[in-house]
Amino acid sequence: MKITDAKVFVGGPAKNYVTLKIFTDQGVYGLGDATLNNRETLPAQYLQDYLIPSLIGMDPRNSEDIWQFFYRGAYFRRGPIAMAAFGAIDMALWDIKGKMAGMPVYQLLGGKSREGAMVYAHATGADLEDLMDSVAAYIEDGYKAVRVQCGIPGMPTASYAVPEEKGDSKNYMTNFSGIRPKVEVWDSDRYIRYMPDALAEIRDRFGPELHILHDVHHRLLPREAAEFAKAVEPIRLFWLEDPTPAEDQDALRLIRQHSTTPIAIGEVFNSIWECNKLIENELIDYIRVAATYGGGITHLKRIVDLAALHHVKTGFHGAPSHSPISMAAQAHLNAWAPNFGIQEYLVLGTPECNALFPSEHRMENGMVFVSEAPGLGVDFDENEAAQYSYQPGSHPVVRLQDGTLWNY
Ligand code: KDG
Ligand code: MG
């Protein structure tokens, strides 16, 4: 069996999805997602210029060897651009493997450990009351877990994942007004004084059963993060995400020494080498690496297996930046993983997205049920794709009030 061709598409409804389609001499094709939010053209170009020419002629069934070929062959290892490109190839090869076997990918991983996988949604509000409305709407829709973010009184601008206007909770993430980032202004002290009480009010309003998650988005120093994690302990969060940037991995020790609040980290990691020490030292509770820029199913499974040895559960990144293809890859891992925790989930559901990526993965009552179709169980409609093209966009940058550049 041979790979005969591969094509890359960039674009999508309100997103620049990077979709790889690998063709074979047996009529079977595979799909992969290389979307690297706000840097989308780079993995696309990497695939086109460096990887696809070598891929043609290879046997697609040898997904492990092909992964090693590109990873080791690059010499300059890792990095989100390369790992997103390798990840897309890897997903497409698992898709082909499943289609050839006539089995959904989760069967090739070891079968199902559960029927439905719990997901969490993003509730957000310009202020706390606005956020409460957003949480209530998700509970009404059947969600058992929500991530909560709200505007902080006196904060000079809206913060991470918070809308500027009340009632605009669906419109806070993608800024397609050009490549130059907009600037947010941040004040950690104001946040630390306000947010623990706000989280306590959310717990009081919605009761003990709701799983409440909160994302600090790398904004606190290690000591501040320890103070915050300790202050929110009585709220019994499901997790506190990215409390401090994890480049300094030892910093996580300080948080652990001061608090039992569960910690989730890893959405910016792209290999096992960024999280193996955090996992082995049991400094985190959930690992957030995504199938996309985490090198696909082959590499992410390695991380999940290591995590399982150390009581660390999965909580894969699933921001709207990932296409339904990598969400499908994660759905198969979620169905199998003995140490599944939760899945962030926002992608599927819009009619435009469903038309571009038809699939039978289904979301019901805050759970995702994996498709039984052979392979990844998601398709890509090239006719639909023809109406989309790359739209320049950017993440905001963050400054402190005196102008110092901070972490987005
Ligand atoms: O591209 C950046 C987003 O994916 C990120 O800001 C989302 O933090 C995020 C999350 O938890 O979904
Ligand atoms: Mg996050």
Side-chain angles (χ1 to χ4, degrees):
M1 187 175 187
K2 295 244 176 308
I3 294 171
T4 50
D5 197 7
K7 284 202 251 177
V8 185
F9 304 79
V10 182
K15 276 286 154 197
N16 293 310
Y17 296 128
V18 182
T19 305
L20 173 71
K21 188 167 182 179
I22 295 182
F23 301 86
T24 68
D25 60 359
Q26 311 221 349
V28 175
Y29 60 84
L31 296 168
D33 177 22
T35 310
L36 179 60
N37 209 17
N38 292 309
R39 295 291 183 270
E40 297 90 349
T41 56
L42 301 177
Q45 204 65 41
Y46 192 15
L47 280 159
Q48 228 130 30
D49 292 351
Y50 297 99
L51 307 182
I52 290 173
S54 297
L55 202 54
I56 292 170
M58 286 180 169
D59 184 336
R61 293 170 298 187
N62 296 334
S63 47
E64 179 69 55
D65 186 66
I66 292 174
W67 197 93
Q68 301 291 340
F69 179 90
F70 288 126
Y71 181 82
R72 292 170 195 264
Y75 183 65
F76 300 101
R77 292 185 184 195
R78 299 150 47 186
I81 297 163
M83 293 299 270
F86 306 161
I89 292 174
D90 186 72
M91 282 177 223
L93 299 183
W94 279 91
D95 193 21
I96 291 169
K97 208 186 290 294
K99 286 171 178 165
M100 295 297 291
M103 286 184 193
V105 166
Y106 75 79
Q107 289 289 9
L108 308 179
L109 299 172
K112 268 188 194 168
S113 300
R114 61 197 55 76
E115 286 303 322
M118 182 169 69
V119 304
Y120 71 89
H122 284 191
T124 180
D127 60 23
L128 184 54
E129 269 315 304
D130 196 26
L131 169 60
M132 298 279 198
D133 292 345
S134 170
V135 174
Y138 282 116
I139 294 174
E140 182 75 25
D141 282 351
Y143 283 86
K144 295 160 183 56
V146 283
R147 189 190 81 166
V148 297
Q149 311 292 137
C150 69
I152 312 292
M155 196 67 91
T157 65
S159 314
Y160 164 69
V162 166
E164 276 166 36
E165 306 288 335
K166 269 169 101 82
D168 202 14
S169 68
K170 296 271 184 258
N171 181 23
Y172 59 89
M173 219 126 160
T174 310
N175 175 10
F176 282 126
S177 57
I179 287 294
R180 285 177 74 88
K182 86 176 194 238
V183 178
E184 286 177 2
V185 180
W186 174 254
D187 177 347
S188 295
D189 197 44
R190 207 173 272 282
Y191 168 79
I192 294 169
R193 280 185 275 129
Y194 181 76
M195 204 62 212
D197 289 345
L199 290 169
E201 280 191 48
I202 295 166
R203 173 59 78 214
D204 283 352
R205 176 86 62 100
F206 296 102
E209 298 292 327
L210 180 68
H211 297 304
I212 301 174
L213 298 78
H214 178 65
D215 191 348
V216 185
H217 222 254
H218 324 270
R219 304 248 167 126
L220 298 180
L221 295 171
R223 191 214 57 77
E224 293 168 337
E227 179 188 341
F228 192 91
K230 187 160 83 173
V232 299
E233 226 169 60
I235 297 149
R236 305 200 77 247
L237 292 180
F238 186 92
W239 80 33
L240 185 68
E241 180 180 335
D242 289 328
T244 191
E247 284 124 324
D248 173 12
Q249 307 214 338
D250 283 342
L252 269 295
R253 221 174 271 288
L254 191 68
I255 303 176
R256 263 292 193 253
Q257 281 161 354
H258 289 274
S259 165
T260 55
T261 295
I263 303 297
I265 275 195
E267 68 179 42
V268 299
F269 297 167
N270 44 74
S271 81
I272 198 166
W273 304 109
E274 277 107 338
C275 55
N276 61 331
K277 292 287 170 264
L278 287 176
I279 292 171
E280 284 159 10
N281 293 321
E282 300 179 6
L283 296 177
I284 58 172
D285 301 278
Y286 294 90
I287 183 68
R288 303 249 311 126
V289 182
T292 319
Y293 25 82
I297 292 173
T298 297
H299 193 68
L300 192 51
K301 183 174 183 302
R302 253 173 212 130
I303 296 177
V304 175
D305 281 333
L306 177 68
L309 303 179
H310 295 280
H311 324 288
V312 175
K313 293 186 182 182
T314 62
F316 301 138
H317 193 221
S321 37
H322 300 286
S323 93
I325 298 170
S326 55
M327 294 304 285
Q330 293 182 179
H332 288 278
L333 285 160
N334 289 336
W336 153 78
N339 51 334
F340 168 75
I342 198 166
Q343 171 65 58
E344 184 178 24
Y345 183 89
L346 294 100
V347 177
L348 303 178
T350 72
E352 296 81 8
C353 205
N354 290 342
L356 184 59
F357 298 101
S359 99
E360 279 166 28
H361 294 277
R362 130 186 105 74
M363 157 82 179
E364 219 175 274
N365 275 331
M367 317 272 274
V368 163
F369 295 86
V370 71
S371 161
E372 295 296 334
L376 290 176
V378 56
D379 211 343
F380 179 66
D381 186 326
E382 289 188 46
N383 292 327
E384 280 287 320
Q387 65 185 291
Y388 301 112
S389 58
Y390 172 72
Q391 304 297 316
S394 63
H395 288 120
V397 294
V398 175
R399 291 188 183 276
L400 303 181
Q401 278 170 297
D402 70 354
T404 306
L405 202 86
W406 206 241
N407 310 316
Y408 167 58

